[in-house]
Amino acid sequence: MNPRTTTIAILLAALAATPASANFGGGSKEEKKPASQGISSMSMTPREEAERLYMDGKEEAEKAKKDLAEKKDKNAEKKFKKALDRGERAIGLDPKYAEAWNLVGYSSRHLKKYDRALEAYAKALELKPNYAEAREYLGEAYVELGQIDKAKEQLAWLQRNAAASEEAKDLAKDVDEYEKAHPPGAGGARPGSASGAP
């Protein structure tokens, strides 16, 4: 046998011995999973699974917020429901996960489920009292409910403890807009105000 024939015979023998599913750089016919999907929830701790659910929910809430800005209310509602589901599942796995409680509050508030929102914000703040974002959102819930004195309590906390934060600025703007839209006087006390005083 000449060397060329020998080389061809060796290659053919190697190919015959190779499994049919071998990949020779031309790509696999099997669909490759992203790394995050390759992790089985069986191998995750409850906290890790809760964090995964929280991140999914947070992403849905951010998309919903964008939909609201674009006046796509129905789409936003669907996404807030998904975010709420993820948050509820996360706190089911880890009831001490303050950020997941905050997500439950945020999503519930946007779905007009104020009782659940207030409960969730209270739990987030019980777990993490210095959680500025939860304080802002709790204040915003109070503004939406017309309970301006309670909103101002949250604003005062933010101004004492996080004065330069976006949370303090955003809540101050909401309180100011509410007070401009509901001036004291002519109609008596403003909703949510015991004395009618600003």
Side-chain angles (χ1 to χ4, degrees):
M1 253 187 187
N2 73 32
R4 185 173 181 180
T5 307
T6 304
T7 304
I8 292 173
I10 293 171
L11 284 173
L12 289 174
L15 285 173
T18 305
S21 63
N23 183 354
F24 293 100
S28 171
K29 290 184 181 178
E30 294 180 31
E31 184 179 317
K32 293 183 181 179
K33 292 182 181 178
S36 65
Q37 288 182 2
I39 299 172
S40 166
S41 59
M42 297 292 276
S43 66
M44 297 174 85
T45 67
R47 177 59 181 226
E48 290 169 337
E49 180 68 11
E51 288 173 348
R52 184 189 64 77
L53 287 164
Y54 167 75
M55 292 306 295
D56 287 349
K58 185 176 177 185
E59 186 177 310
E60 287 296 326
E62 288 170 2
K63 289 177 189 175
K65 189 175 176 182
K66 183 179 177 193
D67 282 347
L68 284 179
E70 296 173 357
K71 307 289 187 217
K72 297 177 182 176
D73 295 351
K74 291 288 183 190
N75 289 342
E77 183 179 348
K78 289 176 189 173
K79 289 174 181 139
F80 279 125
K81 284 180 180 178
K82 286 181 185 177
L84 178 58
D85 172 68
R86 302 310 188 279
E88 293 283 6
R89 289 170 51 201
I91 61 173
L93 289 165
D94 186 352
K96 295 186 185 248
Y97 193 179
E99 291 79 4
W101 280 105
N102 189 49
L103 175 64
V104 168
Y106 184 81
S107 301
S108 296
R109 178 168 59 93
H110 281 86
L111 293 167
K112 308 292 185 218
K113 296 179 179 185
Y114 289 105
D115 288 343
R116 182 63 174 148
L118 295 176
E119 176 187 350
Y121 291 138
K123 186 65 177 176
L125 290 168
E126 175 187 317
L127 294 167
K128 194 173 177 181
N130 294 329
Y131 193 0
E133 187 176 71
R135 291 212 178 259
E136 175 200 352
Y137 293 161
L138 176 58
E140 289 174 359
Y142 285 136
V143 168
E144 291 171 23
L145 290 168
Q147 298 177 15
I148 201 67
D149 289 344
K150 290 181 179 182
K152 285 182 173 183
E153 289 173 13
Q154 298 307 313
L155 177 58
W157 186 95
L158 286 167
Q159 289 172 332
R160 277 192 314 274
N161 298 288
S165 70
E166 286 301 311
E167 292 87 0
K169 291 174 189 171
D170 289 347
L171 184 54
K173 179 179 171 243
D174 290 345
V175 167
D176 185 53
E177 286 175 2
Y178 179 89
E179 289 186 325
K180 285 178 182 173
H182 302 86
R190 285 194 306 260
S193 175
S195 66

